[in-house]
Amino acid sequence: MDPNLLAELHGDKWRELSMLAKKNTLDPGQTQRFLDLYRDASKDLSRIMTVAPDSLEAARLSAIVHRSRNHLSAVPSGGLSGLSRFFVISLPLSIYRLRWDFLIVAASFLAVASLAGIWAGMHPEVLETFGDHAFRKQFAEHDFVDYYKENPNGFFAVGVWTNNAWIAVQFVLLGITGVFVVSGLFSNAVNVGFSGAMMFEFDKGSDFFLYILPHGIPEISCIILAAAAGLRLFFAWVVPGPRLRRNRLASEARSLLTVAGGLVIMLFVSGLIEGFVTPNPIPPALKIAIGVAYTALVIAYAWYFGKRAARAGLSADLDEHQAGYSVLATDR
């Protein structure tokens, strides 16, 4: 379609959208009108970009859509706009996009851990590969619990955080290999199952759950989310769909690296729980409730902001001109 004709037909709507984008607050009616105009203007911009990306109409409408998108996502201008975008759009939207990947990976992890624990518990010869009876007894009755108490709380929390954050970042960055993530998850799941089997062997199953659930629920959730991000990157490379492989991979990588940064922050809180809550002599139910509450808070955050950003048609990736795909110009 001719950009000039499109501007003549929809110019009034573009101006109305621009005026609404300049308002600090919108009532319900204006909000719905704003959303409708934003969607229409985005479609118009897409049409113009396919036929005349260097036209004045493209530059004009691109500025209106960009300003409207910032207003729609409640990202303030100024020095903190990048930080606000990260926490309000990029991070929650990236996590929200991984919700089904996360569920599949989580179900697989729990299945492997449960089957490994049951199998080891039913076959004593398997447990013997970890050590003799005295070694396993020492592990179940002392070492497993002492691990959480043998170091100062703060030192232990930082150590756990750095270790888990490094694992999460590796899962995302090396996810493109596919094999690294799958093998890492499998070995961790088997270790959890076998550890549980040794604890149950000496009637310490309650200690196993008491000391692993408070921090384990948010910690393992973060690691599984990192694995889901890594596998998404792998499939973007293997099955790029209709897009060019390099473009699909680059887009996914930029979005999923956001997840890696967010996981470093989330695992810090998980480390604090493991360092200060898990070994604390407070009621077991309260310990577990703290871990569950923190995990639920992260899920609610990602669901609310991520779903809102997805409905608005926003992206966790950079804009096309920021990513280097295109450059808008008003003259040659």
Side-chain angles (χ1 to χ4, degrees), residues 78-302:
L80 296 179
S81 61
L83 189 63
S84 299
R85 176 180 173 81
F86 176 83
F87 286 107
V88 176
I89 299 176
S90 301
L91 179 58
L93 180 56
S94 296
I95 296 175
Y96 181 76
R97 290 176 60 237
L98 290 169
R99 60 193 184 281
W100 300 117
D101 309 71
F102 173 84
L103 290 176
I104 293 172
V105 175
S108 302
F109 181 90
L110 292 175
V112 171
S114 300
L115 290 174
I118 294 172
W119 178 60
M122 296 176 62
H123 297 81
E125 65 275 12
V126 174
L127 294 179
E128 290 176 0
T129 61
F130 286 85
D132 57 21
H133 183 274
F135 173 84
R136 301 198 305 275
K137 184 178 178 65
Q138 174 69 22
F139 172 83
E141 295 183 350
H142 300 285
D143 294 348
F144 184 85
V145 173
D146 291 345
Y147 166 76
Y148 298 97
K149 300 179 179 180
E150 59 188 3
N151 292 306
N153 299 76
F155 179 82
F156 180 62
V158 172
V160 167
W161 170 52
T162 53
N163 178 69
N164 290 332
W166 175 236
I167 293 174
V169 171
Q170 286 185 92
F171 272 10
V172 176
L173 295 181
L174 299 180
I176 193 171
T177 66
V179 177
F180 181 84
V181 174
V182 173
S183 61
L185 269 183
F186 183 81
S187 62
N188 275 278
V190 170
N191 285 335
V192 170
F194 283 3
S195 296
M198 285 191 286
M199 294 294 289
F200 274 92
E201 182 185 14
F202 296 94
D203 298 323
K204 294 294 182 180
S206 59
D207 284 348
F208 174 74
F209 289 113
L210 172 61
Y211 280 87
I212 203 173
L213 286 181
H215 68 275
I217 293 175
E219 179 183 293
I220 295 177
S221 295
C222 287
I223 297 301
I224 290 175
L225 182 61
L231 291 175
R232 171 68 74 92
L233 192 61
F234 171 72
F235 284 107
W237 169 54
V238 176
V239 188
R243 300 176 60 183
L244 289 175
R245 192 182 307 276
R246 64 175 180 272
N247 290 347
R248 172 74 189 282
L249 183 59
S251 176
E252 289 289 359
R254 286 190 297 267
S255 298
L256 295 175
L257 284 177
T258 300
V259 176
L263 287 174
V264 171
I265 300 172
M266 290 185 277
L267 283 167
F268 175 72
V269 180
S270 176
L272 293 178
I273 294 175
E274 186 168 357
F276 291 92
V277 176
T278 298
N280 197 294
I282 59 178
L286 179 58
K287 291 183 182 183
I288 297 174
I290 291 174
V292 171
Y294 172 58
T295 305
L297 182 64
V298 172
I299 292 174
Y301 155 75

